[in-house]
Amino acid sequence: MDRKQCYVKLSVQPTRGLMDEKFIILVQNAFPGSEVTVHALHKCEDGHSWEAFAHYNADTAGTVNVSQDCSLGGTYSGVEPMGLLWSLKPVPGSKPGLRMRKKNIEIPMEVLISVYRGHLTKGFLDQAPLAGVLVERWYMAPGVRRIPITDDGLTATLFLPSGPGPFPGLLDLWGGGGQLVEYRAALLASNGIAALALDYLTCSYTMETRKLVDNQYFEKAYKVLQQHPQIIGSRIGMMGLSLGTSMTLKMAVYSQVMKLSCVVCISGSHVQPVDGSLEDMLKLFTLNSHKTRTNEENQMIWRDLLLPIPTDPSLKVDLGRIQCPLLVVVGEDDQNWPAGDSAADMKEMMEQAGNSHLLTLLSYPDAGHLIEPPYTPHARASVFRAVQTREKVTSLWGGQTLAHARAQEDAWRKTLVFLKENLYGSTNSSATTFTNL
């Protein structure tokens, strides 16, 4: 047996791929029927290490195919081809409240896939693996161009797909944590859509003046896309997550400058002072801060801050006036925003106005707030620093790991279809891959 297992072979295909691309993990030459553990290890740029592992029994040929075989235990169970990524967790002994986020998208996420003898649950670094393969996972495909944007006081990064173009464009907004978050925009560009990642909370203007941006800031970002020679100015969409949905919906409905082809809103709400600014939106949170709850682990639950959904039309965006296709993504266990309640009200508003044909609603049971690109590890709760108070707390985002992983994969696939249908006019636009590299 030992002699046989000395020649265990491990292969991962592809070893270089995009973050939203599946891989195939194959163990060969193990002893027939033997117990093995397949292990994934990733060290983040912040120095923290994450791992996932699964238990398998080799078949009569000494083979384990992770894409087809059932995990008997570990950080996931069942047939889960990408379980070694979405079930990644901080290694034992890590500080609490970690969340994995890619900072430098010009370098890959490196994951060491290894196979061990037996069904292990700990001590992986203390044992020699039978075999190992280093895998690269990229947000930026070959040929994608990253272009920092500082014109007109903007803090943004434009990602252009490979090739001459012209390409449709997308304005990409994240949530209340601020910062310039680039990885989703880079992955969109890798799928053929020029994307502008925009920092609107901690941008250079705000850092220098201590003032929040006004609505014109978003219109300036739109014009950067509209006027770029490699972007189709008449085919521009907007995507927001969490707080980013508030500005996305407001600009889509009320801006006289932004003529959007489509809108994607993930885990957000239309509730806000319609005639107000970003500053007024944040003041509303402060005004309602007494509605904050905590659970037994002292994790902050903020979903009630915008509840009940108001009946006053001045306190919510009038979705009856939206004139472009709208995709709304909801995690039904969202503990951070009342996304489900908001989506129901938005749907009712559109039905009453006769434009509900523009709405596509994706609602996922047991998914939480942070619905990200697929195969991203689920964070049910993590440390969060609010921009307005700078107080560091632990926020409860919600979600159950398996259901959340399913939601991320399904929502990303359907989001790409939605964007390509409404920005390209078809689902056949090409995405760059690492095939044959």
Side-chain angles (χ1 to χ4, degrees):
M1 175 176 175
D2 291 344
R3 183 178 180 184
K4 175 80 173 180
Q5 289 192 327
C6 286
Y7 301 101
V8 166
K9 179 182 177 182
L10 175 66
S11 63
V12 183
Q13 295 295 330
T15 54
R16 298 182 71 220
L18 289 175
M19 285 295 299
D20 58 357
E21 183 180 3
K22 288 185 177 182
F23 52 37
I24 296 174
I25 301 174
L26 192 64
V27 179
Q28 296 173 295
N29 297 342
F31 193 80
S34 63
E35 297 180 345
V36 297
T37 300
V38 183
H39 180 263
L41 179 66
H42 168 62
K43 187 172 184 179
C44 288
E45 296 154 285
D46 60 12
H48 297 291
S49 294
W50 295 62
E51 70 174 1
F53 61 91
H55 299 154
Y56 294 93
N57 289 345
D59 64 15
T60 55
T63 299
V64 172
N65 186 334
V66 172
S67 296
Q68 300 175 1
D69 296 340
C70 184
S71 166
L72 304 176
T75 53
Y76 68 89
S77 299
V79 180
E80 298 292 342
M82 302 303 293
L84 287 171
L85 288 188
W86 59 250
S87 73
L88 282 165
K89 301 180 183 301
V91 298
S94 299
K95 69 178 184 180
L98 294 177
R99 176 185 172 194
M100 185 189 296
R101 303 191 82 186
K102 195 77 173 72
K103 299 293 186 181
N104 183 357
I105 48 76
E106 294 185 288
I107 60 175
M109 172 187 178
E110 293 185 338
V111 184
L112 179 61
I113 308 293
S114 303
V115 58
Y116 291 85
R117 179 184 293 112
H119 287 170
L120 305 182
T121 59
K122 59 183 179 180
F124 292 97
L125 297 182
D126 299 328
Q127 299 193 38
L130 299 172
V133 174
L134 187 65
V135 176
E136 294 182 1
R137 305 287 294 179
W138 289 82
Y139 285 98
M140 283 182 66
V144 170
R145 286 156 288 172
R146 178 185 178 273
I147 306 170
I149 303 292
T150 57
D151 300 342
D152 295 321
L154 296 176
T155 299
T157 305
L158 174 62
F159 291 91
L160 290 174
S162 62
F167 310 99
L170 188 81
L171 188 57
D172 186 19
L173 275 59
W174 283 81
Q179 307 302 317
L180 184 56
V181 182
E182 297 183 344
Y183 55 88
R184 186 170 63 190
L187 193 56
L188 286 165
S190 297
N191 282 277
I193 299 169
L196 184 75
L198 181 68
D199 180 1
Y200 60 97
L201 282 174
T202 52
C203 54
S204 59
Y205 170 82
T206 297
M207 294 297 99
E208 292 167 5
T209 65
R210 315 310 295 176
K211 297 178 181 179
L212 290 170
V213 302
D214 57 20
N215 295 343
Q216 291 181 334
Y217 183 82
F218 302 95
E219 294 175 341
K220 289 178 182 178
Y222 171 84
K223 289 178 181 178
V224 167
L225 286 172
Q226 186 184 44
Q227 297 169 4
H228 195 282
Q230 290 179 276
I231 293 177
I232 306 170
S234 61
R235 295 187 179 183
I236 296 174
M238 193 168 178
M239 175 184 290
L241 179 141
S242 193
L243 180 61
T245 65
S246 302
M247 302 314 302
T248 297
L249 290 170
K250 173 173 283 188
M251 303 312 292
V253 172
Y254 300 116
S255 174
Q256 297 300 307
V257 173
M258 300 171 68
K259 306 301 179 184
L260 298 172
S261 296
C262 63
V263 168
V264 178
C265 289
I266 306 168
S267 304
S269 177
H270 62 318
V271 176
Q272 60 180 291
V274 171
D275 294 330
S277 62
L278 176 61
E279 182 176 4
D280 294 317
M281 179 71 194
L282 296 180
K283 285 180 179 178
L284 178 63
F285 289 138
T286 302
L287 181 66
N288 292 339
S289 61
H290 63 279
K291 298 181 181 179
T292 301
R293 293 182 285 123
T294 58
N295 63 7
E296 62 279 1
E297 299 175 68
N298 202 34
Q299 296 168 343
M300 311 296 283
I301 301 171
W302 286 318
R303 71 176 311 274
D304 296 338
L305 266 62
L306 298 180
L307 292 176
I309 302 296
T311 56
D312 185 345
S314 69
L315 293 178
K316 56 185 179 182
V317 174
D318 183 2
L319 271 298
R321 294 176 55 179
I322 198 167
Q323 298 179 22
C324 66
L326 167 64
L327 174 63
V328 175
V329 181
V330 172
E332 295 178 16
D333 189 38
D334 191 335
Q335 298 299 313
N336 192 251
W337 277 64
D341 301 77
S342 297
D345 191 64
M346 290 161 61
K347 181 180 179 181
E348 183 178 346
M349 294 173 76
M350 295 178 71
E351 287 174 345
Q352 292 177 355
N355 65 346
S356 60
H357 63 282
L358 295 173
L359 175 66
T360 301
L361 175 60
L362 303 178
S363 189
Y364 297 99
D366 294 324
H369 182 69
L370 299 175
I371 298 178
E372 302 215 53
Y375 319 131
T376 304
H378 168 236
R380 180 169 173 80
S382 70
V383 172
F384 177 80
R385 189 188 294 274
V387 169
Q388 59 267 46
T389 65
R390 304 310 298 158
E391 179 186 7
K392 185 183 290 187
V393 298
T394 299
S395 177
L396 180 64
W397 309 112
Q400 303 299 321
T401 298
L402 177 59
H404 195 86
R406 294 268 198 276
Q408 291 191 149
E409 183 174 1
D410 187 74
W412 181 254
R413 176 177 57 84
K414 291 177 179 175
T415 296
L416 290 179
V417 170
F418 175 85
L419 291 173
K420 291 173 182 179
E421 285 179 343
N422 291 290
L423 295 178
Y424 272 104
S426 72
T427 60
N428 295 323
S429 55
S430 61
T432 307
T433 68
F434 288 83
T435 305
N436 299 323
L437 289 187

